[in-house]
Amino acid sequence: MKICWYNQQQLGVVDGGRVFDVSAALEALPRPSYPAAAPGDLLVAHLDAVRSAIARLLPSATSIAVEEARFLSPVANPGKIIGVPVNYADHVAEANADQATFTDRYKGEVRQQGLFLKASSALVGPAAGVALRFPERLSHHEMELGVVIGKTAANVRLEDALDYVAGYAIALDMTVRGPEDRSLRKSVDSYAVLGPWLVTADEIGDAQKLDIRLDVNGEPRQRANTAEMLIGIAEQIAWASRYYTLHPGDIIMSGTCAGVGQVLPGDVMDCEIAGIGAMRVAVRAAQE
Ligand code: MN
């Protein structure tokens, strides 16, 4: 099932090129309380109940064409966004070959560098686009598979790790290049794009064999297959969960391949992952 937030915070299901309004399925959610009984994104935490409600609503739901929908992030309220650095060999090679751009204070392979965090306030959907905050500096696109955690995970075993995945989406780990700590440079408002919808894990099957592509203004920039990850999704989850508890709605951006490059105001990024779909993300200056 492809689940989305679109237009005026409507809940949708995407099927056959249409977006069906299933907002009434939100009535399956428990009423919010404060402080929350359990951290995490309320919808992702109760995805099974919502899916049952959606199945009842779908036959009579109204719909619009996918092209008419403005997609928000398919996770509304993640607790954290986890990044995986240097996780494709060809990206490691391009970074090592250009130390002037990739001023790398971080050394070693992915297990030595460790995971990083992006501020959840950076998260937007594709319709919002990316707003460049520092025009004099390099902002790069990093095209990645986004993994959405479905249930609370602490110290999970590698062989159980994929049981904790709710689904997958296309992710952009936008990055300002420079000497500061990675988490700062990757946490600018709108520098975490997730979309266009959440594809539930049961629909994806093996997420470790998906073709990824990103074009800028129609020019090919990034091409890869998720099979090329140096550490796979299961290891990312098991590893992360040894340090901090993962909650429903937490997002892992699983690393980028070669071909990262600069974007400028007016550019258009076209992103596609096989089995998920495609999204177009416009780039503008933050002042506009
Ligand atoms: Mn990245």
Side-chain angles (χ1 to χ4, degrees):
M1 186 177 278
K2 297 182 174 72
I3 298 171
C4 67
W5 293 106
Y6 71 107
N7 292 357
Q8 305 303 314
Q9 295 188 304
Q10 290 158 269
L11 182 68
V13 166
V14 179
D15 189 32
R18 311 282 300 175
V19 184
F20 293 84
D21 187 346
V22 291
S23 300
L26 298 174
E27 290 166 19
L29 296 177
R31 286 186 172 277
S33 61
Y34 183 83
D41 181 273
L42 195 64
L43 183 135
V44 177
H46 298 276
L47 195 56
D48 288 346
V50 171
R51 286 183 70 170
S52 297
I54 287 172
R56 292 193 295 274
L57 291 163
L58 205 46
S60 58
T62 60
S63 69
I64 61 173
V66 164
E67 294 75 20
E68 297 171 29
R70 288 179 51 81
F71 290 102
L72 314 172
S73 167
V75 179
N77 194 26
K80 54 187 170 295
I81 303 171
I82 299 162
V84 184
V86 294
N87 201 27
Y88 286 76
D90 58 358
H91 174 59
V92 174
E94 75 178 350
N96 287 341
D98 183 6
Q99 287 291 306
T101 299
F102 299 87
T103 45
D104 233 332
R105 54 192 283 162
Y106 306 96
K107 303 297 180 193
E109 52 92 38
V110 53
R111 291 183 189 83
Q112 295 170 306
Q113 294 200 20
L115 303 167
F116 62 87
L117 293 173
K118 289 168 75 80
S120 55
S121 50
L123 185 66
V124 295
V130 170
L132 302 181
R133 185 71 66 88
F134 304 104
E136 73 286 6
R137 299 185 60 176
L138 276 179
S139 281
H140 275 185
H141 55 77
E142 294 190 358
M143 170 73 184
E144 316 201 352
L145 175 66
V147 181
V148 177
I149 297 298
K151 54 185 181 180
T152 300
N155 285 307
V156 304
R157 298 186 306 174
L158 184 65
E159 55 267 40
D160 300 328
L162 293 179
D163 297 341
Y164 293 83
V165 176
Y168 302 91
I170 302 171
L172 284 170
D173 173 20
M174 301 300 298
T175 304
V176 178
R177 297 295 172 205
E180 303 94 333
D181 189 273
R182 185 184 261 142
S183 69
L184 180 69
R185 294 183 286 102
K186 289 172 172 283
S187 290
V188 179
D189 286 355
S190 81
Y191 275 45
V193 187
L194 193 74
W197 39 70
L198 175 75
V199 185
T200 53
D202 57 304
E203 188 170 316
I204 289 290
D206 185 358
Q208 220 64 81
K209 59 174 186 184
L210 306 177
D211 283 328
I212 284 182
R213 76 170 180 91
L214 180 143
D215 296 350
V216 176
N217 304 332
E219 298 290 321
R221 287 275 184 96
Q222 296 192 268
R223 294 286 186 278
N225 187 284
T226 55
E228 299 162 33
M229 287 182 195
L230 297 175
I231 66 164
I233 298 158
E235 183 173 347
Q236 295 167 29
I237 293 167
W239 184 24
S241 79
R242 296 214 309 271
Y243 286 81
Y244 32 56
T245 300
L246 305 178
H247 295 120
D250 282 0
I251 298 161
I252 301 176
M253 295 194 174
S254 54
T256 199
C257 61
V260 304
Q262 186 177 18
V263 287
L264 295 168
D267 285 348
V268 173
M269 297 181 282
D270 282 306
C271 316
E272 184 172 13
I273 298 182
I276 296 177
M279 66 181 192
R280 172 165 286 188
V281 180
V283 180
R284 66 186 188 282
Q287 293 78 12
E288 286 175 1

